[in-house]
């Protein structure tokens, strides 16, 4: 059995919620549901207690492409030894100095 | 054993008890689903709905208790006997299978949505405030149940069969909801709330649309009339109350 389905053959969905005062959607968990509409309904009960003013996104897990942890060294090493990679040598005008 | 209380027959009190008892007994039946729903997420949803309804019941019964001369919600819930409970028979029937529960949820939620909508303009400020909050909950309950009825009716052969059986069995109990009577008449005249009979057409239209979308047909009409709103209940009600009231009856005056 595909790991992304439950016993009833329902796919797995990832749930992202933006709370009332929140700025962005945060991943808060996953659940199994037969379709997107029901996934939304269920997410509302499981993750938000139907708080007003929050927004929910559901995405089928198999639609998400994730980076490979094995590539960490290659892509995400900050290269601290090569200071010229970081734009820190510019003298900024005083009025924008807090960038 | 704690003695039962009797409440007055004043029409405004009976009007409130019908509504409060509807929410309370429906919540009790939904509570029986805890840990038994087909999937975990649905288990949570059903409990949420039950909790919403219990909250509505508490609000209405608290207000009813004030009108009844200083009774509280607990006394009204735990110390009234079957004949003083005024919920429609529909909500006291056993919980049935999932299709049955969803069809009943839909019938009740559509009724409550229509009722709360009108009750927002109640002359009783407290009731109007409860209605303002409850109408949002009822809207969600109706959508939740409607979605499921559609999935089941338009699902497999087996789910269609069960959903249709639920409609056929539950349908005769809806007539009671819209029977005109003096209690509703008095409430309408005093501005407390609408006659439930005024909601009949809107309810039937909504239900017809929901059932059509689910490829189900409404139940056949019959002369049968349940009379729970008058305190005349089915054989299930006594058992439900025995379970619900046991502790308070056995240990009177306990606080929790």
């Amino acid at each position: 059995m595909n790991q992304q389905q439950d016993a009833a053959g329902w796919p797995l969905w990832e749930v992202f919620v933006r709370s009332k005062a929140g700025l962005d959607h945060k991943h808060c968990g996953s659940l199994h549901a037969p379709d997107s509409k029901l996934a939304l309904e269920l997410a509302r009960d499981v993750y938000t207690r139907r708080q007003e003013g929050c927004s929910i996104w559901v995405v089928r897990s198999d639609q998400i492409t994730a980076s490979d942890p094995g590539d960490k060294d290659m892509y995400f090493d900050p290269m601290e030894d090569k200071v010229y990679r970081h734009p820190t040598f510019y003298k900024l005008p005083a009025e924008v100095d807090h960038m | 054993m704690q003695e039962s209380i009797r409440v007055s027959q004043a029409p405004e009190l009976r009007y409130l008890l019908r509504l409060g008892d509807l929410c309370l007994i429906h919540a009790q039946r939904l509570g029986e689903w805890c840990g038994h729903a087909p999937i975990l997420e649905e288990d949570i949803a059903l409990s949420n709905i039950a909790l919403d309804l219990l909250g509505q019941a508490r609000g209405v019964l608290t207000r009813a208790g004030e009108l009844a001369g200083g009774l509280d919600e607990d006394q009204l819930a735990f110390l009234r006997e079957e004949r003083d409970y005024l919920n429609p028979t529909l909500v006291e029937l056993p919980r049935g299978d999932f299709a049955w529960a969803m069809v009943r949820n839909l019938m009740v939620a559509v009724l409550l949505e229509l009722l709360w909508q009108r009750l927002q303009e109640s002359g009783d400020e407290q009731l109007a405030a409860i209605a303002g909050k409850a109408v949002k909950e009822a809207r969600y309950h109706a959508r939740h149940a409607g979605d499921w009825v559609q999935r089941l009716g338009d699902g497999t052969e087996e789910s269609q069969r069960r959903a249709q059986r639920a409609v056929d069995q539950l349908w005769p109990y809806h007539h009671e909801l819209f029977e005109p009577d003096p209690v509703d008449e008095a409430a309408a005249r005093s501005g407390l709330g609408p006659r439930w009979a005024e909601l009949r057409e809107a309810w039937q239209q909504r239900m017809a649309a929901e059932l059509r979308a689910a490829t189900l047909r409404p139940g056949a009409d019959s002369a049968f009339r349940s009379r729970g709103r008058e305190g005349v209940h089915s054989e299930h009600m006594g058992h439900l109350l025995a379970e619900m009231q046991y502790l308070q009856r056995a240990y009177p005056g306990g606080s929790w």
Side-chain angles (χ1 to χ4, degrees):
Chain A
M1 189 176 79
N2 184 339
Q3 276 201 325
Q4 297 211 327
Q5 291 185 355
D6 69 357
W10 292 1
L12 187 66
W13 300 78
E14 301 301 323
V15 181
F16 300 78
V17 172
R18 178 164 56 76
S19 60
K20 206 189 273 180
L23 290 173
D24 44 17
H25 287 78
K26 289 196 168 57
H27 181 239
C28 59
S30 52
L31 49 77
H32 290 278
D35 56 45
S36 58
K37 198 174 168 207
L38 193 60
L40 262 186
E41 289 287 312
L42 296 175
R44 208 191 313 278
D45 278 309
V46 177
Y47 292 112
T48 74
R49 305 285 137 157
R50 303 202 307 275
Q51 277 181 52
E52 283 166 47
C54 67
S55 154
I56 304 175
W57 290 347
V58 291
V59 185
R60 264 181 75 146
S61 302
D62 56 15
Q63 295 297 309
I64 292 176
T65 307
S67 58
D68 182 349
D71 291 343
K72 212 173 96 194
D73 292 345
M74 186 163 57
Y75 289 149
F76 301 115
D77 188 324
M79 313 263 179
E80 295 295 2
D81 54 329
K82 299 176 187 133
V83 289
Y84 52 82
R85 292 181 66 95
H86 304 289
T88 52
F89 298 101
Y90 297 99
K91 202 83 196 135
L92 286 174
E95 51 278 31
V96 290
D97 206 27
H98 292 295
M99 275 180 81
Chain B
M1 170 87 185
Q2 175 84 320
E3 293 286 319
S4 298
I5 53 169
R6 296 306 308 273
V7 290
S8 89
Q9 303 284 308
E12 68 269 26
L13 177 59
R14 289 178 79 79
Y15 188 84
L16 286 177
L17 288 178
R18 285 175 175 183
L19 178 61
D21 292 349
L22 167 82
C23 298
L24 176 63
I25 301 303
H26 192 38
Q28 174 77 5
R29 281 297 187 213
L30 282 173
E32 293 175 7
W33 276 98
C34 195
H36 296 275
I39 53 169
L40 174 68
E41 289 83 356
E42 188 54 32
D43 211 79
I44 297 172
L46 283 178
S47 302
N48 269 343
I49 294 171
L51 289 170
D52 286 344
L53 286 159
L54 193 63
Q56 296 169 12
R58 289 188 61 184
V60 177
L61 289 183
T62 298
R63 182 67 186 126
E66 288 169 11
L67 289 180
L71 295 168
D72 67 22
E73 49 177 335
D74 286 332
Q75 288 170 303
L76 284 174
F78 294 121
L79 298 178
R80 264 183 307 151
E81 282 175 25
E82 187 181 331
R83 65 178 174 277
D84 291 321
Y85 258 91
L86 303 180
N87 55 283
T89 307
L90 176 66
V91 293
E92 79 208 29
L93 303 172
R95 75 174 161 100
D97 64 14
F98 187 66
W100 210 93
M102 287 304 118
V103 171
R104 172 162 63 183
N105 273 10
L106 181 61
M107 293 169 75
V108 176
V110 171
L111 171 72
L112 279 176
E113 190 182 331
L114 295 168
L115 255 179
W116 291 127
Q117 228 152 30
R118 294 285 302 274
L119 286 170
Q120 290 178 97
E121 282 116 52
S122 168
D124 184 310
E125 271 178 41
Q126 231 168 301
L127 186 59
I130 298 166
K133 189 168 174 308
V135 71
K136 294 185 224 161
E137 296 170 346
R139 212 171 281 145
Y140 157 74
H141 300 169
R143 177 170 354 147
H144 178 97
D147 276 357
W148 272 115
V149 169
Q150 197 175 327
R151 282 192 165 77
L152 295 166
D154 198 13
T156 65
E157 212 173 291
E158 172 72 358
S159 71
Q160 150 93 26
R161 187 184 65 77
R162 288 192 189 212
Q164 186 62 56
R165 183 181 60 183
V167 175
D168 292 341
Q169 289 178 357
L170 286 163
W171 201 251
Y173 291 93
H174 89 271
H175 293 292
E176 171 193 353
L177 306 172
F178 308 112
E179 292 285 297
D181 80 348
V183 171
D184 275 5
E185 198 52 47
R189 247 179 300 135
S190 73
L192 179 59
R195 301 172 189 86
W196 290 24
E198 292 167 32
L199 312 173
R200 182 197 298 261
E201 216 180 290
W203 186 91
Q204 281 174 339
Q205 277 176 10
R206 259 295 279 291
M207 284 303 297
E210 295 275 3
L211 293 178
R212 206 166 33 241
T215 70
L216 299 167
R217 48 173 202 287
D221 268 326
S222 70
F224 170 74
R225 293 289 182 272
S226 54
R227 292 169 57 206
R229 292 204 310 157
E230 295 162 43
V232 183
H233 291 281
S234 70
E235 73 270 30
H236 307 291
M237 188 65 181
H239 295 285
L240 183 149
L241 290 182
E243 189 179 10
M244 190 174 94
Q245 299 181 336
Y246 161 74
L247 200 70
Q248 178 60 16
R249 298 284 192 171
Y251 300 95
S255 63
W256 65 88

